[in-house]
Amino acid sequence: MHVQFTNTQLTVAVVALFLVGATIIGLYLQRRKTRTSGFRNRFGSEYDRAVVTYGNSKKAEAKLADREMRVKFMKIRDLGATERERFVAEWQIVQGRFVDYPKPAVIEAGDLINAILQARGYPAAGFDQRAADLSVSHPRVMENYRLANAVTVRPGRADASTEELRTAMVQYRTIFDELIQVQQPNEKVAAA
């Protein structure tokens, strides 16, 4: 049995294949756009940082998804009222030291942030891993966290100016305020 197609049938088949291909490509692009938009909304400026770090949006989104998965399995919790009060009291002491001892006070502020992270259930890790984990639930403060840490770990010969130390202290305060807040149930779902 030999089947022979007419020119009209071949044209219809080519057009149909083209339309199916274009539809598949269109759906794929729409899915990628929706995924990218979701990551941008969840991570904010941290998304842009990841794109620069990893070279393109596809790799950045894979790394950000890995972060989300890692944090999903952590037992992150809000601070209890007693813990919160203790940390607020410690912050006030650290902040009070700033006038006389700015550099040590900024270092203590960074240490206090680390203590809060551990109390909330974030694992003890190097700064980069802590920042990556924190970016999943608190992307708004990541730039502050990175900048304040950069001032804190600056070697002695390149001491930070008093203004840089003041700015770092303010940045740590922003992070502190966010970390001691009780998250509302809808915020927990959005962060997860």
Side-chain angles (χ1 to χ4, degrees):
M1 174 171 197
H2 183 63
V3 179
Q4 201 166 19
F5 294 105
T6 64
N7 284 343
T8 305
Q9 291 172 324
L10 285 174
T11 303
V12 168
V14 167
V15 169
L17 282 174
F18 175 77
L19 290 175
V20 168
T23 302
I24 290 171
I25 290 170
L27 289 173
Y28 171 77
L29 292 175
Q30 181 60 37
R31 184 169 174 242
R32 287 278 307 141
K33 183 179 178 182
T34 301
R35 178 178 163 98
T36 297
S37 177
F39 276 108
R40 277 203 169 123
N41 289 338
R42 286 193 309 276
F43 284 95
S45 63
E46 191 68 9
Y47 176 86
D48 297 328
R49 187 181 204 305
V51 170
V52 169
T53 300
Y54 299 110
N56 63 52
S57 62
K58 189 172 182 178
K59 288 179 185 176
E61 290 169 13
K63 292 293 186 178
L64 294 173
D66 289 345
R67 286 183 195 181
E68 287 178 322
M69 190 58 69
R70 175 182 158 83
V71 171
K72 181 179 180 179
F73 291 106
M74 293 178 186
K75 294 188 180 355
I76 307 301
R77 64 178 183 81
D78 287 334
L79 296 172
T82 306
E83 288 175 308
R84 190 174 302 102
E85 289 171 15
R86 180 176 55 91
F87 284 124
V88 167
E90 287 181 38
W91 178 264
Q92 289 170 344
I93 291 168
V94 169
Q95 194 168 323
R97 288 187 187 136
F98 182 80
V99 173
D100 294 325
Y101 307 103
K103 177 76 173 183
V106 171
I107 291 169
E108 288 176 38
D111 291 343
L112 185 57
I113 296 299
N114 292 335
I116 293 169
L117 290 173
Q118 285 186 322
R120 292 199 55 200
Y122 289 92
F127 175 78
D128 290 334
Q129 186 61 58
R130 266 193 329 267
D133 293 343
L134 188 60
S135 73
V136 173
S137 300
H138 302 279
R140 292 183 319 110
V141 297
M142 290 315 303
E143 193 64 25
N144 285 335
Y145 190 40
R146 291 181 195 287
L147 293 171
N149 182 71
V151 170
T152 304
V153 299
R154 192 179 291 174
R157 279 181 270 151
D159 266 346
S161 69
T162 303
E163 181 58 25
E164 288 173 312
L165 292 169
R166 188 196 67 75
T167 300
M169 196 70 169
V170 169
Q171 291 165 328
Y172 275 138
R173 177 61 194 230
T174 303
I175 300 157
F176 175 84
D177 288 343
E178 177 131 343
L179 291 176
I180 64 166
Q181 287 179 13
V182 176
Q183 282 189 315
Q184 301 303 315
N186 62 343
E187 290 174 336
K188 289 180 181 179
V189 171

